[in-house]
């Protein structure tokens, strides 16, 4: 499975941005979890949001109410709609996918994911 992340850029605080993560290759698994993580300079990679094949969605507290994860199965694409962006959202955003329906207690852990995209830079200016 290959993941292609796109949609990053430079925006002013308060504005919106939509990231895309398109999967190619062996994506026929009925069970899967796709997540977005981010890593700011000098900080550890952190969980942002995830969606599972069941349709459930999960968010970090820091983005809840501002970010929305969604998917288009026909396009093998998962989106991260980011609204009310803040300077502290500045980071490289990575999408990740695992061919399992991860349980809730583990889907926030980056080590659980088998496949990773290359990352896309999001910069929010104040």
């Amino acid at each position: 499975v290959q993941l292609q992340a796109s949609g990053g850029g430079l925006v002013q605080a308060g504005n919106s941005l939509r990231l895309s993560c398109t999967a190619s290759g062996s994506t026929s698994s009925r069970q899967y979890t796709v997540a977005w993580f981010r890593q700011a300079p000098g900080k550890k990679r952190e969980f942002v949001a995830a969606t599972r094949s069941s349709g459930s969605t999960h968010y970090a507290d820091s983005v809840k109410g501002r970010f929305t994860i969604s998917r288009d199965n026909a396009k093998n694409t998962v989106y991260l709609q980011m609204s009310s962006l803040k300077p502290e959202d500045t980071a490289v955003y990575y999408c990740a996918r695992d061919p399992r329906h991860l349980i809730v207690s583990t889907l926030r852990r980056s080590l659980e994911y088998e496949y990773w995209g290359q990352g896309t830079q999001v910069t929010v200016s104040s």
Side-chain angles (χ1 to χ4, degrees):
V1 176
Q2 294 79 45
L3 301 177
Q4 180 69 43
S6 62
L10 171 64
V11 296
Q12 288 188 327
N15 284 352
S16 300
L17 207 58
R18 188 179 78 162
L19 305 183
S20 300
C21 176
T22 300
S24 60
S26 301
T27 59
S28 60
S29 173
R30 289 191 173 186
Q31 303 291 326
Y32 63 84
T33 304
V34 178
W36 287 94
F37 289 80
R38 66 186 181 186
Q39 188 166 17
K43 294 188 177 181
K44 294 182 179 180
R45 189 169 298 189
E46 65 174 2
F47 170 80
V48 176
T51 182
R52 299 185 294 176
S53 46
S54 62
S56 67
T57 57
H58 310 267
Y59 297 93
D61 289 343
S62 59
V63 306
K64 200 172 293 183
R66 299 188 298 123
F67 290 11
T68 302
I69 190 169
S70 63
R71 62 189 185 184
D72 184 333
N73 291 331
K75 295 182 178 180
N76 283 331
T77 299
V78 171
Y79 303 99
L80 184 68
Q81 178 68 47
M82 306 184 293
S83 302
S84 302
L85 283 162
K86 305 175 181 180
E88 50 263 45
D89 294 319
T90 295
V92 177
Y93 283 70
Y94 299 90
C95 63
R97 181 182 177 107
D98 193 86
R100 296 175 293 170
H101 192 266
L102 295 176
I103 61 176
V104 173
S105 61
T106 65
L107 57 78
R108 297 168 186 262
R109 303 175 189 167
S110 60
L111 291 177
E112 294 294 327
Y113 292 84
E114 184 171 354
Y115 304 105
W116 288 82
Q118 82 287 6
T120 184
Q121 176 71 47
V122 172
T123 303
V124 184
S125 63
S126 58

